[in-house]
């Protein structure tokens, strides 16, 4: 088992909070910005640019995996060329192609896959119309389809902290088999569960692991992401 690269994906209330997060994580972080929270593409683009000017690597996201936001994510990403983009499985290829057409080959694009409850079987119908269909495919088929179009990363959500570790392991293994080296476990991850989750991803061969840690480290009163918690989580990035 080689040592994978580990980067956090966390939210920030504003550019100042984001700058502090990047510092606390010693750069091993993407700061998520959810397009769902913005009334328009232009409003989201303005905030992404503000974060980027402050030296923050931005991850453009849907907002709780909301499939209705897929086009907004793609449109914001094309205008901002961010470090990282979260996308639903059916729209991942569209987004990757759109980014490449504007010369943004550095942006990591993931595809959202949902655990099915059965190790080795996953749900890839994560788009606005297809999400009603909970049909499963093998992890192998899901990874092969993403590999065919050049998607960089699998976002596995919601994993419920450590509730689905056997499913996480099976999906990582399949992704690695098809040369998808980045894995993003998401959902219920906090300071207590992150270590075990990273371990399972690493044991199954992921070369880069991007755990998404959202609400558990946000101060309810201020809405700010707690810098002490980011420092604590960043220890796992070593």
């Amino acid at each position: 088992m080689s040592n994978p690269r580990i980067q956090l994906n966390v939210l920030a209330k504003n550019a100042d909070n984001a700058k502090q997060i990047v510092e606390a994580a010693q750069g091993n972080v993407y700061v998520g910005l959810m397009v769902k929270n913005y009334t328009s593409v232009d409003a989201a683009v303005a905030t992404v640019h503000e974060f980027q000017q402050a030296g923050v690597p931005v991850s453009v996201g849907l907002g709780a995996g909301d499939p209705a936001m897929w086009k907004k994510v793609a449109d914001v990403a094309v205008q901002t060329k961010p470090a990282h983009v979260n996308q639903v499985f059916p729209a991942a290829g569209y987004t990757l192609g759109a980014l490449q057409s504007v010369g943004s080959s550095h942006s990591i694009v993931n595809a959202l896959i949902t655990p099915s409850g059965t190790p080795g079987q996953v749900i890839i119908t994560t788009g606005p119309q297809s999400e009603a269909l909970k049909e499963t495919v093998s992890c192998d088929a899901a990874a092969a389809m993403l590999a065919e179009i050049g998607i960089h990363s699998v976002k596995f959500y919601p994993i419920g902290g450590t509730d689905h570790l056997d499913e996480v392991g099976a999906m990582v293994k399949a992704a690695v088999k098809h040369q998808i080296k980045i894995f993003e476990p998401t959902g219920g991850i906090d300071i207590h569960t992150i270590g075990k989750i990273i371990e399972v991803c690493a044991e199954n061969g992921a070369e880069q692991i991007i755990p998404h840690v959202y609400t558990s480290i946000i101060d309810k009163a201020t809405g700010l992401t707690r810098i002490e918690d980011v420092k604590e989580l960043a220890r796992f990035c070593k």
Side-chain angles (χ1 to χ4, degrees):
M1 186 173 88
S2 61
N3 275 343
R5 182 175 185 202
I6 299 157
Q7 287 158 297
L8 302 169
N9 194 313
V10 302
L11 301 176
K13 185 179 183 181
N14 51 37
D16 277 346
N17 192 206
K19 268 167 46 178
Q20 292 177 328
I21 287 165
V22 174
E23 215 167 279
Q26 299 176 333
N28 290 314
V29 69
Y30 295 107
V31 177
L33 184 137
M34 304 296 130
V35 299
K36 191 175 183 170
N37 299 340
Y38 294 85
T39 49
S40 67
V41 167
D42 289 347
V45 166
T47 306
V48 174
H49 280 151
E50 187 195 346
F51 279 31
Q52 287 173 328
Q53 278 153 13
V56 174
V58 175
S59 168
V60 174
L62 299 148
D66 183 349
M69 296 292 131
W70 80 264
K71 184 72 167 62
K72 203 169 172 186
V73 162
D75 292 346
V76 171
V78 163
Q79 289 187 50
T80 58
K81 302 178 180 175
H84 183 274
V85 184
N86 298 275
Q87 193 52 283
V88 294
F89 190 103
Y94 171 98
T95 306
L96 185 65
L99 280 162
Q100 287 176 350
S101 74
V102 293
S104 184
S105 55
H106 68 277
S107 304
I108 293 171
V109 177
N110 70 28
L112 172 58
I113 292 177
T114 298
S116 69
T118 304
Q121 295 288 314
V122 291
I123 297 166
I124 60 173
T125 52
T126 53
Q129 279 166 273
S130 59
E131 74 165 342
L133 310 166
K134 300 290 184 210
E135 295 166 30
T136 64
V137 299
S138 67
C139 291
D140 215 15
M145 289 166 77
L146 294 179
E148 283 169 339
I149 49 175
I151 294 298
H152 312 107
S153 176
V154 168
K155 179 176 179 175
F156 207 44
Y157 166 83
I159 64 162
T162 50
D163 291 351
H164 298 273
L165 288 180
D166 44 359
E167 291 184 74
V168 170
M171 190 62 239
V172 174
K173 197 173 278 181
V176 170
K177 177 183 162 186
H178 291 282
Q179 303 296 304
I180 298 171
K181 294 167 181 178
I182 308 174
F183 200 83
E184 307 185 39
T186 310
I189 303 178
D190 58 25
I191 285 163
H192 307 292
T193 57
I194 189 170
K196 189 73 194 134
I197 293 161
I198 287 172
E199 201 176 294
V200 169
C201 294
E203 277 167 4
N204 286 284
E207 289 182 22
Q208 190 175 347
I209 304 163
I210 306 175
H212 292 235
V213 188
Y214 287 165
T215 47
S216 70
I217 59 168
I218 292 173
D219 187 301
K220 301 282 180 287
T222 63
L224 294 165
T225 290
R226 292 187 293 266
I227 300 306
E228 285 313 307
D229 286 2
V230 174
K231 284 182 181 160
E232 178 75 11
L233 288 164
R235 291 188 315 137
F236 292 99
C237 295
K238 304 225 169 78

